[in-house]
Amino acid sequence: MRVAKKIDEVRSFVRAARMRGAQVGFVPTMGALHQGHLALIRACVAQNDVSVVSIFVNPTQFGPREDFNSYPRPFEQDVALCEKEGVDLVFAPSAGEMYSPDHATYVEVEGLTAGLCGQFRPGHFRGVTTVVSKLFNIVEPDTAYFGEKDYQQLIVIKRMVADLNFPVRIVPIPTVREADGLAVSSRNLYLSARERRAAPALYRALCEGAKAAAQGASGFEVEKITRQALEKEPLFKLQYVQAVHPETLQPREDQGVPMVIAAAAYLGSTRLIDNIKVEGRS
Ligand code: AMP
């Protein structure tokens, strides 16, 4: 397995693979790899001839008061995990390699980024779509893998790829969870023992909402049921619960399924997000 820090090295590696007729798969990450990332990497390795994983904590997607500096960076461990999974190339650029001091171009998806996390993290999705565009231009993958854990991000990336004609197929991967239901996340490392015990309440609340949705409840009703379920866990400070259409991300309000119930909540100073999709009535 190669570890490349430079864009040119990635380009020549991928182009040589493509000359041999290889299909190239790509998994963009911020590192601190866990079982969620590994599900993406395993799908990528299984479905492609050559697999590229990027590890880059992208400064432009963090707000000024967010956790860019404290974000975990266990680089050696991440590289070892990639090697074990059969990854061919890890791309781990410096911030300077990705953004020149006079960088002035951004990619922005309108509409879909306005609600949900977009309301609370101004500039976040602009940072994500900008870095993913750059990574797609550097790696030129045939297929790229994204987790449903970050559901709004997945929909925003799909829109960007369609709108800007990136020749990349986007493959969504279901959320990987701990045994108690908590969605696996690099930020779970921040939780105290007490917070970690409280954390599964977020998914439990979403499941209560999903049950109501499957029985015919409207978006408004589902949001209320989910909110009330989460309020039973006093350590959580809810940021939002919203029932939205799975493709348009428009609020469901007085409509029912299909819907994605998405939530963000703080446990102490750690912000957790999760979601659940309800396709139809049971
Ligand atoms: P990140 O390193 O947090 O930027 O995540 C990189 C990719 O892994 C994104 O596409 C995430 O949606 C995905 N991901 C993160 N956590 C999970 C999880 N628990 N299950 C599935 N995918 C995940």
Side-chain angles (χ1 to χ4, degrees):
M1 188 185 77
R2 287 263 289 275
V3 179
K5 304 250 177 203
K6 297 289 177 198
I7 291 167
D8 285 348
E9 200 182 334
V10 178
R11 286 198 197 287
S12 48
F13 181 90
V14 173
R15 290 203 174 146
R18 205 176 283 291
M19 293 276 278
R20 301 193 303 269
Q23 287 286 307
V24 179
F26 177 45
V27 181
T29 82
M30 299 202 299
L33 301 182
H34 51 58
Q35 290 299 323
H37 298 114
L38 294 187
L40 275 64
I41 291 172
R42 284 173 189 152
C44 182
V45 170
Q47 295 168 17
N48 295 275
D49 304 309
V50 165
S51 294
V52 181
V53 171
S54 64
I55 297 177
F56 180 58
V57 186
N58 172 38
T60 66
Q61 72 188 69
F62 287 80
R65 280 176 297 280
E66 291 183 357
D67 55 345
F68 174 72
N69 286 320
S70 58
Y71 199 84
R73 290 167 172 86
F75 184 67
E76 299 306 321
Q77 188 184 308
D78 288 347
V79 168
L81 282 170
C82 287
E83 174 125 55
K84 184 158 163 261
E85 295 299 332
V87 171
D88 298 284
L89 177 74
V90 169
F91 177 42
S94 65
E97 179 72 3
M98 290 297 280
Y99 296 103
S100 69
D102 47 0
H103 180 97
T105 307
Y106 292 89
V107 175
E108 187 149 8
V109 173
E110 296 180 349
L112 292 172
T113 57
L116 304 173
C117 288
Q119 299 164 73
F120 299 97
R121 303 188 71 189
H124 168 69
F125 287 110
R126 183 174 98 135
V128 169
T129 43
T130 300
V131 81
V132 171
S133 302
K134 288 165 68 65
L135 291 166
F136 282 179
N137 284 330
I138 294 163
V139 177
E140 299 185 284
D142 298 291
T143 309
Y145 296 80
F146 288 85
E148 288 180 349
K149 153 88 175 14
D150 300 281
Y151 191 81
Q152 187 177 18
Q153 169 174 285
L154 169 67
I155 297 301
V156 166
I157 296 287
K158 280 185 168 178
R159 183 80 261 141
M160 177 191 84
V161 162
D163 289 352
L164 297 184
N165 308 98
F166 279 105
V168 182
R169 190 169 64 99
I170 302 299
V171 175
I173 301 291
T175 302
V176 176
R177 299 181 179 282
E178 303 287 357
D180 59 11
L182 175 66
V184 179
S185 165
S186 310
R187 290 188 170 100
N188 294 350
L189 295 171
Y190 300 151
L191 300 173
S192 69
R194 186 152 167 259
E195 289 166 349
R196 177 62 191 82
R197 281 195 297 277
L202 180 57
Y203 182 59
R204 276 203 305 274
L206 289 169
C207 288
E208 287 201 29
K211 196 168 126 204
Q215 288 167 354
S218 70
F220 283 136
E221 289 163 342
V222 166
E223 287 169 10
K224 186 170 166 211
I225 288 163
T226 310
R227 209 176 296 122
Q228 284 174 346
L230 195 66
E231 278 163 6
K232 288 184 210 146
E233 176 43 74
L235 282 187
F236 265 113
K237 269 212 329 270
L238 184 64
Q239 196 171 51
Y240 71 80
V241 173
Q242 213 154 34
V244 297
H245 186 277
E247 304 301 326
T248 65
L249 305 185
Q250 286 299 304
R252 284 315 257 166
E253 303 188 332
D254 54 2
Q255 293 170 288
V257 290
M259 67 173 78
V260 167
I261 314 161
Y266 277 95
L267 255 184
S269 56
T270 305
R271 184 175 179 275
L272 299 182
I273 61 170
D274 201 351
N275 69 82
I276 192 166
K277 193 193 261 189
V278 192
E279 313 264 10
R281 289 177 69 151
S282 58

